[in-house]
């Protein structure tokens, strides 16, 4: 029944590539082969303050950076922008498994998977304000985190616990994309997060996951409060950076 519905649906609305809009035969795919082939995967971590590449195992150039930035791809690529846009605004989670697969390939490239040890780690998706999440129907960072977990589990790899009850967004802010300057973004988001269980954070390593890292204002605010609560190492993991 389900399958029949899908094929009926795809006759009426043939699936199209989220980037170039060519028709795709396989309804499970979101990006056509040529667009997928154009996606360039990053091969380093980044300093969140100056954007410099940090090879795996090396220290951040800015010692005052509160986190290490892991970004799978670049937002400069059209395919990447289209994927992010589709996940965020098309009211569809269809793109999430594809994006999580790209994140997974990046993590595999950056960290030796046979040595992965997440025992003292927790993973926190950057939260949306409750009202915004209700309007969108989901939090795109959380959807990405869960899709990523599925890939790790099916590959028999350890994955940190996903905690959505620790960090909350207490301030309803206009969309970051509406703020033009870095300063505006920073003001818009200042002190917008709260932590409900500081005891879960104390002494823990944290992976913060988000879809996009632009000026770093959001990640900067989130890591500020997490560090205040005693977080040890923080990795900001995003699908794309500008
Ligand atoms: Zn395409
Ligand atoms: Zn730097």
């Amino acid at each position: 029944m389900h399958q029949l519905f899908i094929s009926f649906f795809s006759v009426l609305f043939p699936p199209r590539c989220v980037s170039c809009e060519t028709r795709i035969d396989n309804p499970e795919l979101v990006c056509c082969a040529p667009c997928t082939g154009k996606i360039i995967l990053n091969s380093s971590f980044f300093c969140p303050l100056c954007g410099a590449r940090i090879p795996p195992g090396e220290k951040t150039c800015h010692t005052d950076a509160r986190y290490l930035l892991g970004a799978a791809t670049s937002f400069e690529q059209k395919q990447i922008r289209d994927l992010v846009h589709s996940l965020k605004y098309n009211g569809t989670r269809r793109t999430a498994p594809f994006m999580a697969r790209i994140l997974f390939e990046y993590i595999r490239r950056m960290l030796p998977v046979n040595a992965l040890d997440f025992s003292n780690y927790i993973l926190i998706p950057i939260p949306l304000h409750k009202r915004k999440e209700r309007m969108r129907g989901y939090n795109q960072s959380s959807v990405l985190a869960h899709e990523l977990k599925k890939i790790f589990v099916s590959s028999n790899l350890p994955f940190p616990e996903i905690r959505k009850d620790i960090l909350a967004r207490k301030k309803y802010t206009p969309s970051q994309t509406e703020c033009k300057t870095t300063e505006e973004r920073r003001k818009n988001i200042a002190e917008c997060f709260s932590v409900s269980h500081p005891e879960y954070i104390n002494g823990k390593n944290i992976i913060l996951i988000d879809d996009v890292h632009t000026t770093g204002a959001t990640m900067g605010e989130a890591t500020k409060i997490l560090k205040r609560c005693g977080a040890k190492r923080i990795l900001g993991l995003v699908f794309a950076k500008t």
Side-chain angles (χ1 to χ4, degrees):
M1 184 61 203
H2 182 61
Q3 206 50 46
L4 186 69
F5 180 73
I6 290 179
S7 28
F8 180 65
F9 194 77
S10 41
V11 170
L12 287 179
F13 306 100
R16 289 180 185 277
C17 169
V18 293
S19 193
C20 70
E21 296 186 2
T22 7
R23 283 172 64 158
I24 324 179
D25 293 331
N26 184 348
E28 316 235 305
L29 294 180
V30 289
C31 224
C32 71
C35 284
T36 305
K38 281 182 204 146
I39 294 173
I40 300 165
L41 208 59
N42 285 331
S43 53
S44 67
F45 290 117
F46 300 89
C47 169
L49 299 183
C50 70
R53 288 166 201 277
I54 318 278
E58 284 186 28
K59 286 218 175 335
T60 321
C61 41
H62 279 80
T63 46
D64 52 339
R66 286 187 290 266
Y67 62 104
L68 183 65
L69 176 62
T73 61
S74 165
F75 202 62
E76 305 303 316
Q77 283 193 272
K78 181 186 182 296
Q79 292 79 13
I80 298 303
R81 288 197 300 275
D82 292 337
L83 280 164
V84 169
H85 191 272
S86 162
L87 177 70
K88 229 180 211 167
Y89 301 111
N90 289 4
T92 165
R93 278 169 265 194
R94 202 166 74 95
T95 31
F98 182 74
M99 291 165 75
R101 174 58 64 179
I102 294 172
L103 261 176
F104 177 71
E105 293 303 332
Y106 171 69
I107 296 169
R108 220 164 41 168
R109 185 179 271 199
M110 300 307 295
L111 308 164
V113 275
N114 49 359
L116 283 184
D117 177 14
F118 291 127
S119 48
N120 197 35
Y121 274 84
I122 49 176
L123 188 143
I124 302 177
I126 290 283
L128 293 176
H129 188 272
K130 267 191 198 143
R131 195 166 7 136
K132 206 174 264 182
E133 183 162 347
R134 224 177 296 130
M135 283 188 322
R136 189 170 292 166
Y138 56 91
N139 170 358
Q140 73 276 8
S141 307
S142 173
V143 172
L144 268 182
H146 283 280
E147 290 297 334
L148 190 60
K149 182 178 180 173
K150 276 189 210 163
I151 301 173
F152 270 79
V153 169
S154 66
S155 315
N156 283 319
L157 291 168
F159 197 77
E161 190 186 2
I162 301 177
R163 298 294 301 248
K164 286 181 279 190
D165 57 336
I166 293 177
L167 192 65
R169 214 181 263 237
K170 56 181 179 179
K171 232 167 61 175
Y172 187 84
T173 53
S175 166
Q176 280 291 78
T177 45
E178 285 165 33
C179 304
K180 295 282 177 289
T181 66
T182 308
E183 195 45 44
E184 268 180 346
R185 279 173 181 251
R186 210 162 277 148
K187 264 194 202 140
N188 180 36
I189 204 138
E191 302 296 325
C192 79
F193 293 107
S194 64
V195 165
S196 50
H197 294 284
E199 69 275 16
Y200 294 153
I201 299 292
N202 194 17
K204 282 278 193 319
N205 296 316
I206 291 164
I207 298 174
L208 267 176
I209 196 162
D210 206 356
D211 51 352
V212 183
H213 189 276
T214 47
T215 60
T218 308
M219 204 65 96
E221 275 301 313
T223 51
K224 195 200 285 174
I225 190 164
L226 292 171
K227 280 281 181 187
R228 247 187 250 148
C229 297
K232 276 165 73 183
R233 288 203 294 174
I234 304 178
L235 172 69
L237 182 65
V238 296
F239 174 70
K241 76 182 263 300
T242 51

